[in-house]
Amino acid sequence: MQAVTDRFYHWYKQIDIESKKREEFCKLSEESQVIKQRKQKAQELEKLGINLFPNDIKPPERAGAIKKVYEKYDAEALEKVEDTFRVAGRIMALRRFGKAAFFSLKDSSGSIQIHVMRDRIGKDAYKIFKKFDIGDIVEAEGRLFRTKTNELTIEADRVRLVTKSMRPLPEKYHGIKDKELRYRRRYEDLIMNDDVAETFRTRARIIQMLRHYFTSNGFLEVETPMMQSIVGGATARPFVTHHNALGIDLFMRIAPELYLKRLLVGGFDRVFELNRNFRNEGISLQHNPEFTMLEFYEAYATYEDLMVRTEELFAQIALDIKGDTKFQYQDHEIEMAPPWKRMTLKESLVEVGGVPEEELDDKDALNKRLEGMGVEMGKDLVLGKYLAKLFDLLVEPKLIQPTFITHYPTDISPLARRNAQDPSVTDRFELFITGREIANAFSELNDPRDQKERFEEQVAKRGDDDEIPPEVDYDYVRALEIGMPPAAGEGIGVDRLVMLFTDSPSIRDVILFPQLRPEGGKRSAS
RNA sequence: GGGCCGUUAACUCAGUCGGUAGAGUAUCUGCCUUUUAAGCAGAGAGUCGCUGGUUCGAGUCCAGCACGGCCCA
């Protein structure tokens, strides 16, 4: 117990030192003149009896909703509208004259211009208004009118400070461009870049559609452990953590698969889970250490049924988000209307990858080919590993239009059912769009004897590069022994799906707070 | 893990051959009651990522490190 205490003592001490460093780092910008001036202005407002952070604002009307109704009214028609409108939002641009000003007020629905005149709101109120800054959140109320340039505008009868901004917003025209700053300070990115906010609204819509599709098709949404004592369901290096009271190490899950299939055994014959997985691997344009995965399992279905389901689901999303099954992604025009192309893994290697057919069952030839491409795989791996590697390099990037690749080798598909005609391959597919893997699915292996053998063989043949703790999940085998109905299951990479439908080139553009090194230095608990 | 590029004011960016640090936005002061990247006049604002080296002198050249981006494995 003492050892644990010591460990945390040192850890906390280190955190203290580093957070002090970070505070110093931040203080530098605290010293900046603009921030000092803002803080002073805030104090001046307080001296005038203004609450900088009031909490008695009634829910305002939304700028977007007002515009939607009154955008079609001309100046004359607006004069007949006697209603006043009360809005609240952030001052985004401010054009002051001597005794009047225009500013644009932005809320989550859009923005609307406000006109403030001294002679209308009163001398004292105008004096206070003069201390408002770009970035402040304010409330304004008044009637609608059209300016000389025909912009729908609220003529303010009163304006009120809602939240004082102590720090200037980024430059008004260029916004915040530096990608590092945009990811670190997503709040500023969201304020300044409307398209970023739109991307995350689209993300939310896609997730809602996924959830709706599965629940309305009789699937039960479940939550299974994210902290697992045996890591399984995929091949990836896990994050390790420790539970003090139990005194055991736990792994953050790399996939929920084995738990979801236990639920098939338990009698939930259509289940899905839409949640985070964690993989302790590299970060790239399509990899974040934590990412969102949708996995669903359907009893009495086969992988072929799931291809149809996937086509239907994705086409529906395309219609809803893009209004068409055909849409642009970066430099490509994608056509999502079913049916999609289907090829076996080997066919794709020959037809797309240009690998001679006679090499396909020859490990040495494949390894030689890989070496020729500068890839050191090592000898004596299972055949499937060479095929998969060649596929990754030669075929995957070329699969721009939606394509199902089927018949993956059994030796790299330890949880998939063998193909009835050819037991060396499985009833499995992966879906590729824009050169990226989007989904992985198979008819599930439910023969406990075969599963146990494959687990044990996987452990025995574990290569040094595998990074999976060599452990057979015997409880999962026991569950299969109770009996799992024939089923098929699929995992869909939600972040990549969102990238596709929001035309985003990087996974970091669709994750609100992507993983970065902490500002001001590394920290390690070890 | 490797290669290339970047890091200068709160933000977006210039900075020539190594010779006292620049612009726009934002901020402050003054003028201005229909602007919308408002305008005009003026002002203030910098640990040039960090550490070392070369040099009479380094934002600039060299080395190492940090953080980030892109490409490759």
Side-chain angles (χ1 to χ4, degrees):
Chain A
M1 210 57 211
Q2 189 56 41
V4 171
T5 312
D6 284 350
R7 185 172 148 205
F8 279 98
Y9 174 74
H10 288 299
W11 187 10
Y12 290 144
K13 205 167 146 189
Q14 190 177 357
I15 288 172
D16 286 347
I17 292 167
E18 286 179 8
S19 74
K20 229 169 242 167
K21 262 194 270 178
R22 272 176 230 186
E23 199 190 342
E24 291 292 314
F25 184 81
C26 285
K27 265 185 193 159
L28 287 178
S29 50
E30 298 295 323
E31 304 293 328
S32 108
Q33 190 195 26
V34 184
I35 291 170
K36 273 188 196 159
Q37 281 169 339
R38 283 225 171 176
K39 291 191 169 165
Q40 197 184 335
K41 218 191 267 186
Q43 280 181 355
E44 286 165 17
L45 278 168
E46 274 184 322
K47 269 183 206 152
L48 290 169
I50 306 298
N51 185 351
L52 303 183
F53 304 100
N55 189 29
D56 59 348
I57 311 297
K58 299 280 178 299
E61 290 171 82
R62 292 159 65 80
I66 294 170
K67 270 197 173 167
K68 204 175 170 191
V69 175
Y70 294 98
E71 199 59 274
K72 44 187 174 284
Y73 285 50
D74 62 15
E76 216 174 306
L78 283 177
E79 269 177 42
K80 291 183 188 127
V81 178
E82 307 228 332
D83 308 352
T84 63
F85 297 86
R86 191 171 53 82
V87 291
R90 197 180 293 278
I91 299 178
M92 292 304 291
L94 180 56
R95 296 171 285 278
R96 292 183 196 275
F97 305 88
K99 300 176 189 67
F102 287 97
F103 65 87
S104 66
L105 177 147
K106 180 178 173 182
D107 66 20
S108 69
S109 68
S111 53
I112 191 161
Q113 181 169 259
I114 314 289
H115 187 222
V116 183
M117 285 193 295
R118 191 193 65 175
D119 294 348
R120 192 171 187 91
I121 68 165
K123 258 188 181 173
D124 292 340
Y126 200 79
K127 209 169 134 191
I128 289 162
F129 168 71
K130 274 185 153 178
K131 296 203 185 296
F132 290 5
D133 288 307
I134 290 172
D136 289 352
I137 300 174
V138 300
E139 180 187 49
E141 183 170 12
R143 286 182 57 182
L144 290 168
F145 77 108
R146 282 197 183 272
T147 63
K148 279 182 183 168
T149 52
N150 210 35
E151 178 159 354
L152 185 68
T153 301
I154 290 177
E155 182 64 76
D157 295 319
R158 53 180 200 87
V159 287
R160 183 189 174 192
L161 184 66
V162 174
T163 300
K164 184 70 192 146
S165 169
M166 302 287 201
R167 196 176 272 270
L169 287 179
E171 202 247 13
K172 67 178 171 188
Y173 188 62
H174 298 93
I176 179 166
K177 277 215 150 54
D178 186 302
K179 282 194 182 177
E180 179 180 354
L181 292 183
R182 288 181 44 200
Y183 297 141
R184 286 195 197 282
R185 309 181 196 164
R186 186 68 93 179
Y187 40 91
E188 287 183 14
D189 192 25
L190 287 166
I191 292 169
M192 300 307 295
N193 299 321
D194 288 339
D195 56 326
V196 173
E198 194 48 40
T199 291
F200 287 103
R201 288 200 181 93
T202 303
R203 181 182 173 116
R205 267 173 66 200
I206 291 170
I207 284 171
Q208 269 177 355
M209 290 177 68
L210 291 171
R211 194 162 259 134
H212 178 257
Y213 176 86
F214 285 100
T215 50
S216 63
N217 277 285
F219 287 79
L220 182 72
E221 180 165 12
V222 296
E223 293 166 277
T224 65
M226 296 220 181
M227 299 164 87
Q228 306 177 343
S229 56
I230 297 176
V231 69
T235 309
R237 184 194 299 195
F239 286 93
V240 188
T241 185
H242 185 79
H243 190 284
N244 289 336
L246 293 177
I248 53 168
D249 285 338
L250 290 168
F251 303 101
M252 304 298 291
R253 76 171 182 200
I254 57 173
E257 174 155 356
L258 298 183
Y259 283 98
L260 291 171
K261 287 197 286 199
R262 282 172 169 94
L263 296 177
L264 290 177
V265 173
F268 290 150
D269 59 10
R270 287 187 176 194
V271 292
F272 78 101
E273 180 162 7
L274 177 47
N275 222 319
R276 224 67 70 81
N277 287 347
F278 307 86
R279 296 188 182 175
N280 202 346
E281 299 186 337
I283 293 174
S284 80
L285 285 186
Q286 22 178 345
H287 298 89
N288 194 62
E290 52 181 306
F291 61 99
T292 302
M293 179 82 117
L294 184 143
E295 284 202 13
F296 67 95
Y297 290 83
E298 182 175 359
Y300 314 112
T302 67
Y303 80 116
E304 285 174 313
D305 298 325
L306 296 194
M307 285 195 249
V308 175
R309 229 186 227 305
T310 307
E311 287 171 338
E312 171 188 275
L313 171 62
F314 281 28
Q316 203 170 304
I317 295 174
L319 281 174
D320 201 84
I321 300 294
K322 299 285 192 180
D324 195 346
T325 55
K326 191 185 280 187
F327 58 91
Q328 198 72 21
Y329 177 81
Q330 303 291 300
D331 296 334
H332 304 292
E333 186 167 77
I334 307 297
E335 175 55 83
M336 297 282 270
W340 299 341
K341 201 167 185 183
R342 300 181 183 188
M343 300 170 100
T344 70
L345 181 72
K346 285 185 175 177
E347 282 166 3
S348 78
L349 280 166
V350 174
E351 287 170 32
V352 181
V355 179
E357 202 170 347
E358 58 273 18
E359 284 185 21
L360 292 178
D361 292 306
D362 184 344
K363 274 194 215 180
D364 292 337
L366 294 173
N367 192 25
K368 217 171 157 189
R369 179 169 287 274
L370 279 161
E371 279 173 1
M373 296 165 65
V375 182
E376 294 298 328
M377 294 280 290
K379 284 189 159 197
D380 296 329
L381 298 176
V382 293
L383 177 69
K385 292 229 170 186
Y386 299 105
L387 293 172
K389 191 73 190 175
L390 278 167
F391 175 85
D392 286 350
L393 296 172
L394 298 174
V395 183
E396 179 168 342
K398 293 184 185 162
L399 300 178
I400 304 301
Q401 298 302 323
T403 307
F404 292 116
I405 300 296
T406 63
H407 294 71
Y408 279 77
T410 304
D411 54 30
I412 54 165
S413 311
L415 301 165
R417 173 184 288 263
R418 290 179 199 267
N419 182 273
Q421 278 76 48
D422 177 2
S424 75
V425 297
T426 53
D427 285 348
R428 171 180 174 190
F429 71 79
E430 287 195 3
L431 168 65
F432 296 87
I433 310 175
T434 68
R436 286 196 277 262
E437 182 195 339
I438 302 283
N440 178 21
F442 37 87
S443 298
E444 302 299 337
L445 173 60
N446 65 343
D447 179 339
R449 300 161 305 174
D450 190 3
Q451 184 67 79
K452 182 163 177 265
E453 263 175 43
R454 285 207 233 166
F455 273 158
E456 284 170 350
E457 193 177 321
Q458 202 186 9
V459 167
K461 283 199 174 170
R462 173 177 176 269
D464 290 335
D465 61 324
D466 282 5
E467 303 287 354
I468 318 179
E471 197 172 344
V472 176
D473 191 339
Y474 285 110
D475 179 72
Y476 177 68
V477 175
R478 177 164 54 201
L480 293 188
E481 284 169 353
I482 297 290
M484 182 174 88
E490 177 167 343
I492 298 172
V494 172
D495 307 289
R496 292 181 186 177
L497 191 66
V498 174
M499 286 167 68
L500 177 66
F501 287 116
T502 56
D503 198 19
S504 302
S506 167
I507 197 168
R508 291 182 159 190
D509 297 328
V510 300
I511 292 177
L512 280 166
F513 301 100
Q515 198 61 52
L516 297 171
R517 283 198 169 83
E519 204 169 21
K522 287 189 223 175
R523 173 185 299 160
S524 169
S526 58

